[in-house]
């Protein structure tokens, strides 16, 4: 089955969604806006496009997509655990390692987290440093900060228009 692509505009830049009837294989934010949004979205990718748009609109907190990840068994185990981090919550890399059963594997867990092919849908942005710092994010720390603020139950209202 041929992999299809759709490009969508998000508040954080152009995002490419890849996949086919077998499932979504990747959702990645692109650095730079040299690519235009798709004028046609393949039917197999429409649920992912719709759900991402709902997420950015603030009406979706979980995703129901058929994912078809490509990676090692270890990476897939990390990505499966990431899905268990609730919307609006964060955990540390150490806690993620603990949940996977080996605190000594923290570097490997962090590396697998960084290789996550499903931007937002598998919420690697919810993993932070033990001291609360925003560390390591392939999409850029400014995007990680934006996503965590977007998901925060304590959204600040601006006093200025």
């Amino acid at each position: 089955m041929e992999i299809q692509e759709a490009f969508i505009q998000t508040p954080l830049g152009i995002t490419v969604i890849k996949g086919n009837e077998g499932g979504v294989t990747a959702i990645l934010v692109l650095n730079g806006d040299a690519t235009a949004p798709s004028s046609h979205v393949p039917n197999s990718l429409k649920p992912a496009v719709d759900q991402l748009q709902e997420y950015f609109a603030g009406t979706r907190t979980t995703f129901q997509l058929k994912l078809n990840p490509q990676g090692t068994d270890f990476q897939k185990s990390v990505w499966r655990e990431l899905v268990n981090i609730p919307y609006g919550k964060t955990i540390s890399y150490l806690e993620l390692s603990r949940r996977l059963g080996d605190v000594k594997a923290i570097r490997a867990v962090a590396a697998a987290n960084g290789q996550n092919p499903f931007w937002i849908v598998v919420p690697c942005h919810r993993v932070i440093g033990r001291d609360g710092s925003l560390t390591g994010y392939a999409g850029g720390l400014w995007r990680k900060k934006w996503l965590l603020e977007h998901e925060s139950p304590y959204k600040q209202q601006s006093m200025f228009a």
Side-chain angles (χ1 to χ4, degrees), residues 43-63:
N43 286 338
S44 62
L45 303 180
K46 282 184 179 173
V49 169
D50 292 345
Q51 290 183 38
L52 279 170
Q53 289 172 335
E54 292 165 0
Y55 170 86
F56 283 112
T59 60
R60 176 172 291 278
T61 60
T62 60
F63 293 88

Side-chain angles (χ1 to χ4, degrees), residues 60-80:
R60 176 172 291 278
T61 60
T62 60
F63 293 88
Q64 285 87 39
L65 297 172
K66 182 178 180 184
L67 302 180
N68 186 8
Q70 308 299 306
T72 67
D73 289 344
F74 178 76
Q75 287 173 323
K76 290 176 186 179
S77 71
V78 173
W79 302 335
R80 278 191 300 272

Side-chain angles (χ1 to χ4, degrees), residues 97-108:
S97 299
R98 186 175 291 127
R99 289 182 183 188
L100 290 161
D102 187 357
V103 294
K104 293 179 183 170
I106 190 167
R107 289 184 190 273

Side-chain angles (χ1 to χ4, degrees), residues 89-141:
K89 303 289 184 188
T90 59
I91 67 169
S92 69
Y93 289 96
L94 181 62
E95 175 60 24
L96 181 57
S97 299
R98 186 175 291 127
R99 289 182 183 188
L100 290 161
D102 187 357
V103 294
K104 293 179 183 170
I106 190 167
R107 289 184 190 273
V109 167
N113 193 59
Q115 295 298 312
N116 170 24
F118 301 107
W119 185 56
I120 299 174
V121 173
V122 174
C124 58
H125 61 278
R126 296 181 189 151
V127 183
I128 60 174
R130 186 174 44 184
D131 62 358
S133 61
L134 302 184
T135 60
Y137 190 64
L141 290 180

Side-chain angles (χ1 to χ4, degrees), residues 1 4 28 79 113 126 129 152:
M1 246 183 286
Q4 300 172 310
L28 305 165
W79 302 335
N113 193 59
R126 296 181 189 151
S152 172

